[in-house]
Amino acid sequence: MTALEDRTEAPAPEVGKARKRKEDARLITGRTTWTDNMVLPGMLHLAVVRSPVAHAKITSVDVSAAADAPGVVAVFTGRDFAEEQGSIPCAWPVTPDMVNPGHPSLAVEEVNHVGEAVAVIVARSKAAAQDAVELVDVDYDPLPVVLDMEEAVAEQPDLCHDHLSSNESFRFVFDAGEAGTGQNTDEAFANAEVVVSRRFVQQRLIPAFMEPRAAVVQPQGDNYTMWSSTQVPHILRLMLAMITGTPEHKLRVIAPDVGGGFGGKLQVTPEEVITLLVARRLGKPVKWTETRSESLMSAHHGRDQIQYVDVAADREGNIKGLKVHILSDMGAYLRLVSPGVPVLGAFMYPGIYKFPAYRFDCQGVFTNKTPTDAYRGAGRPEATFAIERIMDELAVELGMDPLELRRKNWIKAEEFPFTTVAGLEYDSGDYDAATQQALELLGYDELREEQRRRRESDDPVQLGIGFSTFTEMCGLAPSRVLGSLSYGAGGWEHASIRMLPTGKVEVVTGSTPHGQGHETAWSQLVADELGVPFEDVEVLHGDTGISSRGLDTYGSRSLVVGGAAVVSASQKVVAKARKVAAHLLEAGEDDLQFESGSFSVRGTPGTSISIQEIALATFAAHNFPEGMEPSIDADATFDPVNFSFPHGTHICAMEVDTETGFVKIRKYACVDDVGKIVNPLIVEGQVHGGLAQGIAQALYEEAIYDADGNLTTGTFVDYLVPSAADLPHFDTGNTVHEAPGNPIGAKGVGEAGCIASTPAVVNAALDAVRHLGVTDIRMPLTPERVWRAIHSGGDGGDRATAGSNAYGGAQTETTAGVSTEASSLGGDR
Amino acid sequence: MTRISVRVDGASYQDDVEPRTLLVHYLREQLGKVGTVVGCDTSNCGACTVHLDGEAVKSCTVLAVQADGAEVTTIEGVSRGGELHPVQKAFHEMHGLQCGFCTPGMIMASIDLLQDNPDPSDDEVREGIEGNLCRCTGYQNIVRAVQLAAGEMRGAPASDGHVAPAVVDTAAAPHVVGQA
Amino acid sequence: MIPAPFEYARPTTVDEALQAIAAGGEDVKVLAGGQSLIPVMRLRLAAPETVVDLGRVAELRGVREDGDALVIGAMTTHSDVLADPLIQQHAPLIAQATETVADRQVRHRGTFGGALVHADPAGDLPAVALALDAEFVIAGPEGRRTVPARDFFVDYLTTAVGEGELLVEVRVPKLDGQWGMRYEKFNRVAQAWSIVAVAAAVRRENGHIAEARVGLTNMGPTPLRAGAVEAALSGAEATPEAIAAAAAHAAEGTEPSSDLNAQADYRQHLATVLTRRAVTAAAGL
């Protein structure tokens, strides 16, 4: 026990401090564990044979040459696993009659997209496995290829799955009039003075996490441990058990350090299933690590929607109604939450505006392409883009300043909490304050003045300013809400706190990080709750053997839901420790105060006991309260009652070279309200990273298929992930309106930058060239598209689908080797 | 098989390798230098960057046999006597990493840049690391980190405004306008 | 991905290299810096029987003066080219273009000769060599021969270097004095290949353009000289208007490809804009 007099001032709270990250030490030195680092005795290596055709019946598979190749231990086809591989799960049947064609991990009868796995080589070395891929001979009987969504839902289309009656998986409708959250939409449009209609294209994107996926499975008797580069070890374990029949309690899944995910590793992948099945069949440890080319063609893609958006208003700019019809490309199969992605967006199209009427109508469409699923924002970037773009178009139609139109219609600070036409209750915020601050950060007035000058002088380089005043829903999710949307799981998160004898603290979180800094932020939360030093907290995660319950990391949920569970568990620890302290200090529980990690008796200076000392006393358990079990450890599961709603104002100033169509961000300023900020360093980093991806959608990235269904953008040569030299400096700021729905007050920040930025960038480019007659430019804003939109009208049109001639046209159509007639002595640069 | 001799992070190795073995696979699989990682097939991402005879190269685009007789430094060999390299320290200080997968390559490329240009502008930093892709950070904090390290390696405080600790111009504190 | 297996030879002289190429069987690839070859082999778009690594052929490295010419060894790396004072002084166009090639790491390995022999139409150095009227010294079993740039680039990824031959050095005439130069590159992201680029060298005399040389990158299967532009510039006044009028001819005779970066008509448009900009800068306007 410590003399009370020794105590100094209470330390500053950890929450709010820009703590440098605990995770960094192992990452900056290269002393960490990626899944591909794993080496186990006797480990075999897998290589996957993938379909080079988009749609075909498999007529025969001859593996004999591959099986005889040196170093090859086994070759398996879909037939070999047909009875045990089940189907890749879809956990989100968004309508009762949703059509799910089933998704074998290894194709058995037919292939439905280029890159689909058809066989797997098992060999002693990675090289031997790779070499044998070329020796597998698969005969394909080609079927018509379905690529275009609008054609796919037109009359008499070719079918993506010939055993289905159409290419539509589901039709999900939300009508505010019918739901009782708004007026009749048809009437609103019939009575409107102004209607603006647009067709927007959300191009297909590839999450492109930097660490390629990998899985290692070690069998031990009838137990299996899988290491996987996954965002969702808990979900993966459950699903693997359900698919393969290996009981859940015989499976342990470990996500070691994971090199980014962005939704791309929120999946139960065919390759993970195959790796488990092979290990189970052979009883040997096996490893699969993908190449980047495999990753780009077979890991799930994101976005890919066509949006038909209509907005109704009166001449004064009062909005009257919103109608959204979207075609959402599922790709060839439904994966874990594929259908849920557009549905997550369904409730966000009204944005921050007070629409009296709203109707959302979404068709999920099958095409012979890689399946789509979650990618940073998942449904919300698409919704935000649509509303923020159409508000600009409405402003043009009305001859109003785009910001004035927004102001006129957005929810006022004093109106929170506000129930929207989509039925969501927005929690808190002040859109005007964020906007004012963002305008200042940007230097708005000077840039508008420069824009005027450039326009008057007919400068070849024009300047534009674009806004995005957005909100999003985070903190996935209230379990009851997920249930009402037919999602197959809850949205709670779990945490436990283990008080070690030396006073150190282990925090176990069910929210599995892959770059977000949970170890640091959770330590800050616990340090404040328990009053222990930040350094004394260790955060454990990503191993179902250690973290028994969890729903993992996606949807900006970790802090809002998982962090709340950590706080709640900490408070339970304190409550238990209070009983022990009362016993040891011989005082009543109610007479104790807990401050800076120590209990003391109110009004009785002299003695106190720290929670870390109580941990030791609990370990010894020599002198413990009667009837209390000797533990102050605690678990908590937090299930939010509502989503949280970050918001913000993003403003982009864009230069457009009208001679070449090249666009360049001149300045980017944003002010985000993500609620309480636990660690400003991490919050800023999340915003930056989100901005980079949102800007990349606007300017650079697009997964392109040719007419045969080959992914043309099959390497980083043609799928353009921007480098440091391609992105601007970001000026970021925050307002803080705490979320009332969780004990931290945080709203979530992982997706905000990505959701908000894309329309700001496109609006800026359009603002620069609107006076030249341009009304839309398709994303990404390639120089060619911008130039065509300026000089030939339209939205810039489709791009040619041939790969660029880099490396002599080295776009990867298959992983099988093909020798080309190239320079006889060439090969250099 | 071809016999090669290399020095890697200060230790000498002699090994038989297949001529087709990429330097990065030799480092990872034969030497256990798994700090260096592979991120792509086409020499775009730079995650595998190491120093070959003092110059940054993409070790996925060098054959191990080409490194015969050479000195290789990986991320595991840049700290000296338990002291982190200034660039490593700066990445930590400035939150220049999130998932950390690109980080070894990014640090090796940055060290190489600073050898050639000890006092780069922000644009020069951005161009200097154009061969390294990061999907998490948006690069801004990486640029800050390289500038911080540049200052420290020059032995002088940096002159550029962006070098201030990340939170200073992040606005977390000064720009807070309302606390509901 | 891992390359398919191959036989490996590592000669130390040009003669040894020629022998190794001769002995290497049907499909021999010469490995210079490997920055295009190794990725292509990793993707298994190339699977040579033998790889002849020139990395130890010391005589192929370096830049020297030989009378009115600079002689650049085929195995001189891009970074060595950039650091070379002779290049900076006599052929700044090469330095400008080399600076735009890929990224630092690639420039540390990639070589001047390798880039030229690879003859990627999107590569930056072929058009520069063409604009500068470089000469290519090719060694073969029969000895050495010299090929002018206009005859060197034969077709897509194909040069005058024949089977069993090797590019050993490139002779670049010094353009001293009143020449101005500019390499104007257009691409979407920093490390990418050129969508289109223009290499311009302009000699001014008394307010006029006495002579201009314009090379085009990625406007066809080989690099091209913009002959019509050069003719129009010859003797023209050094004014923005005259240059723009001449640059309007830049697309004449070009046959650029259509791919996801740009379709042919847009490439042709870009050629005129970039030519105007390159020539304007080279003319010091």
Side-chain angles (χ1 to χ4, degrees):
Chain A
M1 296 188 200
T2 318
L4 191 63
E5 295 83 334
D6 295 346
R7 286 232 322 268
T8 49
E9 291 268 304
E14 281 291 338
V15 169
K17 269 192 198 169
R19 274 285 187 183
K20 314 286 189 287
R21 294 199 323 167
K22 291 185 167 182
E23 292 85 345
D24 294 354
R26 62 182 187 269
L27 298 170
I28 57 177
T29 52
R31 297 194 175 109
T32 191
T33 307
W34 310 109
T35 299
D36 186 49
N37 292 4
M38 297 293 304
V39 177
L40 298 168
M43 189 174 78
L44 300 171
H45 298 263
L46 303 189
V48 177
V49 181
R50 296 183 183 279
S51 171
V53 296
H55 194 196
K57 294 284 177 200
I58 298 172
T59 53
S60 74
V61 185
D62 180 357
V63 301
S64 53
D68 290 344
V72 172
V73 173
V75 183
F76 299 107
T77 69
R79 292 220 176 276
D80 295 316
F81 287 129
E83 301 307 312
E84 52 191 297
Q85 68 178 350
S87 171
I88 291 296
C90 175
W92 203 333
V94 292
T95 61
D97 56 354
M98 182 185 83
V99 175
N100 183 350
H103 184 353
S105 290
L106 274 175
V108 182
E109 303 281 351
E110 60 184 45
V111 290
N112 288 293
H113 67 90
V114 169
E116 186 169 352
V118 293
V120 59
I121 313 284
V122 190
R124 283 174 58 195
S125 72
K126 188 158 70 181
Q130 197 76 66
D131 290 346
V133 164
E134 296 166 36
L135 302 176
V136 174
D137 190 11
V138 186
D139 282 340
Y140 297 99
D141 188 7
L143 292 165
V145 178
V146 178
L147 298 170
D148 182 286
M149 276 197 287
E150 285 169 331
E151 288 173 15
V153 296
E155 293 295 309
Q156 307 248 307
D158 290 328
L159 292 176
C160 176
H161 294 277
D162 56 4
H163 61 282
L164 301 181
S165 58
S166 83
N167 292 312
E168 185 177 292
S169 171
F170 62 88
R171 186 154 197 157
F172 178 95
V173 175
F174 173 84
D175 187 294
E178 290 166 17
T181 55
Q183 300 164 9
N184 183 295
T185 310
D186 291 335
E187 279 175 26
F189 275 79
N191 298 330
E193 293 170 357
V194 179
V195 172
V196 173
S197 301
R198 287 287 185 275
R199 173 184 180 272
F200 298 132
V201 179
Q202 291 285 326
Q203 79 270 33
R204 182 174 274 251
L205 300 177
I206 305 181
F209 34 76
M210 289 314 300
E211 182 205 13
R213 295 171 301 157
V216 172
V217 175
Q218 180 173 40
Q220 289 162 299
D222 62 352
N223 282 264
Y224 300 89
T225 301
M226 172 181 285
W227 289 263
S228 179
S229 173
T230 180
Q231 287 176 231
V232 290
H234 296 91
I235 293 173
L236 179 58
R237 178 204 201 194
L238 170 65
M239 292 299 177
L240 286 174
M242 292 170 71
I243 298 164
T244 67
T246 298
E248 192 180 357
H249 63 303
K250 300 291 185 183
L251 278 170
R252 175 182 177 191
V253 176
I254 300 171
D257 271 323
V258 173
F262 317 109
K265 292 174 181 170
L266 165 51
Q267 194 55 270
V268 177
T269 67
E271 294 84 359
E272 286 163 328
V273 174
I274 293 166
T275 306
L276 176 60
L277 292 176
V278 171
R280 191 166 78 175
R281 182 73 67 93
L282 299 179
K284 299 282 286 179
V286 295
K287 182 201 276 189
W288 167 77
T289 302
E290 70 182 351
T291 66
R292 178 58 61 183
S293 314
E294 276 186 289
S295 188
L296 292 174
M297 79 163 95
S298 65
H300 74 244
H301 294 175
R303 310 284 193 272
D304 206 344
Q305 296 182 353
I306 297 172
Q307 308 170 308
Y308 310 90
V309 186
D310 308 300
V311 66
D314 65 20
R315 276 276 153 217
E316 285 69 50
N318 298 300
I319 52 174
K320 298 295 185 187
L322 181 68
K323 275 196 293 197
V324 177
H325 175 209
I326 64 177
L327 300 180
S328 184
D329 195 341
M330 299 290 105
Y333 298 108
L334 301 181
R335 287 214 177 152
L336 191 61
V337 297
S338 304
V341 170
V343 172
L344 262 180
F347 305 94
M348 294 312 301
Y349 281 84
I352 64 171
Y353 309 109
K354 294 183 278 186
F355 281 99
Y358 170 55
R359 181 181 167 83
F360 172 86
D361 178 355
C362 169
Q363 290 169 274
V365 182
F366 291 119
T367 63
N368 294 112
K369 299 179 195 165
T370 302
T372 62
D373 206 313
Y375 171 53
R376 203 168 193 170
R380 292 157 289 159
E382 297 93 317
T384 302
F385 182 87
I387 185 64
E388 289 303 301
R389 280 285 299 110
I390 202 84
M391 288 300 277
D392 263 30
E393 297 305 306
L394 178 61
V396 169
E397 178 67 28
L398 296 169
M400 277 178 83
D401 178 87
L403 201 50
E404 187 195 334
L405 177 68
R406 285 172 167 82
R407 268 206 190 95
K408 190 166 196 145
N409 290 288
W410 71 37
I411 299 157
K412 305 282 185 291
E414 60 273 18
E415 294 175 308
F416 288 99
F418 183 91
T419 302
T420 73
V421 72
L424 295 174
E425 188 189 282
Y426 288 3
D427 50 3
S428 65
D430 185 338
Y431 306 142
D432 197 52
T435 302
Q436 280 308 330
Q437 196 180 321
L439 290 168
E440 284 160 30
L441 268 181
L442 186 79
Y444 179 71
D445 294 338
E446 297 82 50
L447 285 166
R448 275 284 186 228
E449 174 56 23
E450 181 182 333
Q451 178 185 37
R452 192 190 57 76
R453 283 199 308 272
R454 285 180 184 272
R455 212 166 271 194
E456 281 174 4
S457 66
D458 205 15
D459 195 305
V461 177
Q462 289 290 313
L463 185 68
I465 298 174
F467 293 95
S468 170
T469 54
F470 84 107
T471 188
E472 54 147 335
M473 54 198 263
C474 281
L476 307 185
S479 297
R480 270 170 298 184
V481 175
L482 289 177
S484 74
L485 292 171
S486 312
Y487 182 62
W492 47 264
E493 193 48 271
H494 180 258
S496 50
I497 308 274
R498 309 201 290 228
M499 300 300 294
L500 304 182
T502 56
K504 308 295 184 194
V505 183
E506 281 180 343
V507 178
V508 181
T509 177
S511 171
T512 303
H514 36 284
Q516 295 89 347
H518 290 29
E519 293 169 32
T520 305
W522 280 211
S523 295
Q524 290 176 266
L525 294 174
V526 171
D528 278 357
E529 292 296 330
L530 300 184
V532 300
F534 171 77
E535 294 77 12
D536 284 357
V537 184
E538 186 75 8
V539 178
L540 308 176
H541 54 73
D543 178 348
T544 61
I546 292 169
S547 160
S548 54
R549 304 185 71 216
L551 284 170
D552 307 312
T553 291
Y554 43 85
S556 304
R557 70 187 304 273
S558 288
L559 183 64
V560 176
V561 189
V566 167
V567 168
S568 177
S570 302
Q571 289 168 350
K572 289 185 185 177
V573 169
V574 174
K576 288 185 185 178
R578 181 181 293 273
K579 289 186 194 300
V580 183
H583 175 75
L584 295 174
L585 294 175
E586 297 174 353
E589 272 185 64
D590 294 342
D591 296 331
L592 293 183
Q593 59 184 12
F594 182 63
E595 206 182 329
S596 300
S598 286
F599 292 95
S600 55
V601 183
R602 214 173 271 118
T604 314
T607 56
S608 73
I609 185 166
S610 78
I611 197 162
Q612 294 182 296
E613 290 167 320
I614 292 170
L616 182 62
T618 304
F619 171 73
H622 296 163
N623 180 13
F624 222 64
E626 199 63 37
M628 182 176 172
E629 59 182 81
S631 167
I632 57 169
D633 294 357
D635 279 34
T637 302
F638 182 79
D639 195 348
V641 294
N642 188 9
F643 297 96
S644 53
F645 296 89
H647 73 82
T649 296
H650 287 230
I651 317 178
C652 177
M654 175 79 92
E655 292 177 3
V656 179
D657 181 340
T658 59
E659 292 182 334
T660 63
F662 194 83
V663 296
K664 182 169 184 282
I665 293 178
R666 166 74 170 276
K667 195 157 188 200
Y668 195 99
C670 62
V671 173
D672 285 280
D673 195 316
V674 298
K676 179 85 164 181
I677 292 172
V678 171
N679 184 324
L681 205 59
I682 290 175
V683 163
E684 191 199 17
Q686 287 292 317
V687 170
H688 288 173
L691 291 176
Q693 288 180 16
I695 291 169
Q697 174 174 12
L699 300 185
Y700 301 117
E701 297 180 23
E702 182 174 22
I704 292 183
Y705 285 84
D706 69 14
D708 298 322
N710 294 304
L711 178 66
T712 303
T713 51
T715 71
F716 278 158
V717 173
D718 288 326
Y719 190 82
L720 298 186
V721 172
S723 76
D726 307 306
L727 290 170
H729 180 87
F730 310 120
D731 291 291
T732 64
N734 294 105
T735 58
V736 177
H737 293 80
E738 293 192 10
N742 66 74
I744 301 166
K747 291 182 174 173
V749 68
E751 295 157 298
C754 190
I755 290 169
S757 54
T758 313
V761 173
V762 175
N763 281 338
L766 285 166
D767 185 55
V769 295
R770 179 84 67 176
H771 66 293
L772 301 174
V774 180
T775 57
D776 195 16
I777 310 173
R778 287 250 294 277
M779 295 189 293
L781 308 181
T782 68
E784 179 174 15
R785 277 187 174 141
V786 175
W787 176 77
R788 284 194 197 284
I790 294 171
H791 295 278
S792 327
D795 63 4
D798 286 329
R799 297 160 70 186
T801 58
S804 67
N805 46 14
Y807 295 137
Q811 81 265 22
T812 314
E813 294 187 353
T814 76
T815 52
V818 269
S819 228
T820 52
E821 291 284 326
S823 163
S824 60
L825 288 169
D828 229 319
R829 81 172 186 185
Chain B
M1 289 285 182
T2 303
R3 188 90 172 152
I4 61 168
S5 304
V6 285
R7 264 183 90 73
V8 180
D9 296 337
S12 295
Y13 300 88
Q14 286 203 349
D15 279 297
D16 292 323
V17 297
E18 270 195 282
R20 64 166 164 167
T21 304
L22 302 172
L23 177 58
V24 69
H25 288 142
Y26 173 69
L27 292 171
R28 285 180 60 81
E29 286 156 25
Q30 280 181 260
L31 304 189
K33 293 277 180 183
V34 291
T36 302
V37 295
V38 186
C40 77
D41 313 317
T42 46
S43 200
N44 287 88
C45 82
C48 63
T49 300
V50 300
H51 292 182
L52 184 63
D53 286 334
E55 288 185 328
V57 302
K58 294 180 175 177
S59 62
C60 77
T61 313
V62 177
L63 301 172
V65 288
Q66 291 180 286
D68 184 19
E71 172 103 28
V72 177
T73 306
T74 78
I75 188 67
E76 297 175 52
V78 293
S79 59
R80 287 277 175 270
E83 178 78 5
L84 292 175
H85 189 282
V87 175
Q88 288 176 304
K89 264 192 291 195
F91 270 67
H92 174 58
E93 288 291 318
M94 288 296 163
H95 189 29
L97 64 151
Q98 290 178 27
C99 84
F101 193 78
C102 77
T103 308
M106 201 62 90
I107 289 173
M108 299 309 287
S110 301
I111 293 172
D112 182 69
L113 166 69
L114 295 177
Q115 282 169 4
D116 276 5
N117 183 354
D119 190 10
S121 68
D122 280 4
D123 283 347
E124 286 168 341
V125 173
R126 286 177 181 273
E127 281 160 24
I129 57 171
E130 70 190 346
N132 294 73
L133 299 178
C134 168
R135 194 61 160 163
C136 292
T137 64
Y139 302 103
Q140 187 154 319
N141 286 343
I142 292 176
V143 175
R144 286 171 171 149
V146 176
Q147 293 288 19
L148 178 73
E152 184 177 334
M153 290 163 73
R154 289 195 308 270
S159 54
D160 192 282
H162 294 318
V163 181
V167 282
V168 169
D169 75 337
T170 194
H175 294 279
V176 169
V177 296
Q179 187 97 19
Chain C
M1 286 276 286
I2 302 160
F6 52 80
E7 296 297 320
Y8 176 72
R10 194 167 66 195
T12 56
T13 66
V14 169
D15 286 344
E16 280 178 27
L18 291 170
Q19 287 163 21
I21 293 168
E26 284 286 299
D27 188 3
V28 182
K29 287 278 186 201
V30 173
L31 176 68
Q35 301 300 287
S36 286
L37 178 59
I38 293 175
V40 170
M41 288 170 60
R42 289 182 69 193
L43 295 170
R44 301 208 177 184
L45 293 161
E49 190 179 334
T50 303
V51 168
V52 177
D53 176 3
L54 300 183
R56 303 297 157 104
V57 185
E59 63 193 283
L60 293 178
R61 287 184 190 270
V63 181
R64 63 189 162 83
E65 283 181 286
D66 183 9
D68 294 339
L70 289 184
V71 182
I72 306 170
M75 284 293 291
T76 310
T77 64
H78 298 311
S79 359
D80 287 345
V81 165
L82 282 172
D84 194 281
L86 291 170
I87 300 271
Q88 294 288 349
Q89 190 188 343
H90 299 293
L93 187 60
I94 290 176
Q96 277 184 36
T98 301
E99 209 166 10
T100 72
V101 172
D103 52 60
R104 299 178 63 74
Q105 292 98 312
V106 168
R107 292 193 294 269
H108 281 145
R109 298 291 298 170
T111 66
F112 187 72
L116 291 167
V117 178
H118 185 46
D120 190 324
D124 296 296
L125 298 176
V128 171
L130 193 62
L132 294 177
D133 285 334
E135 294 180 321
F136 293 76
V137 180
I138 298 168
E142 316 298 321
R144 297 194 175 198
R145 64 194 177 102
T146 300
V147 176
R150 66 178 174 278
D151 297 332
F152 184 77
F153 300 103
V154 174
D155 201 348
Y156 182 67
L157 301 181
T158 308
T159 70
V161 177
E163 253 180 65
E165 291 188 317
L166 197 62
L167 175 70
V168 291
E169 60 194 28
V170 180
R171 302 174 63 85
V172 181
K174 288 182 193 169
L175 294 178
D176 290 316
Q178 59 280 59
W179 285 87
M181 302 182 196
R182 175 69 143 227
Y183 190 68
E184 192 76 27
K185 175 167 177 167
F186 190 85
N187 55 11
R188 285 184 62 208
V189 293
Q191 62 165 274
W193 274 257
S194 289
I195 295 174
V196 176
V198 176
V202 172
R203 185 163 62 83
R204 275 184 69 171
E205 242 173 42
N206 307 324
H208 285 69
I209 292 172
E211 192 182 346
R213 305 194 193 162
V214 178
L216 304 175
T217 296
N218 216 9
M219 288 300 291
T222 65
L224 299 170
R225 282 284 281 266
V229 177
E230 294 179 1
L233 284 172
S234 177
E237 280 184 53
T239 62
E241 296 73 26
I243 290 171
H249 297 287
E252 285 176 18
T254 62
E255 288 178 33
S257 61
S258 284
D259 60 42
L260 51 80
N261 279 330
Q263 296 174 61
D265 63 328
Y266 174 60
R267 277 203 163 89
Q268 292 187 320
H269 165 75
L270 281 178
T272 64
V273 174
L274 299 175
T275 297
R276 191 193 78 223
R277 291 179 182 180
V279 172
T280 303
L285 295 180

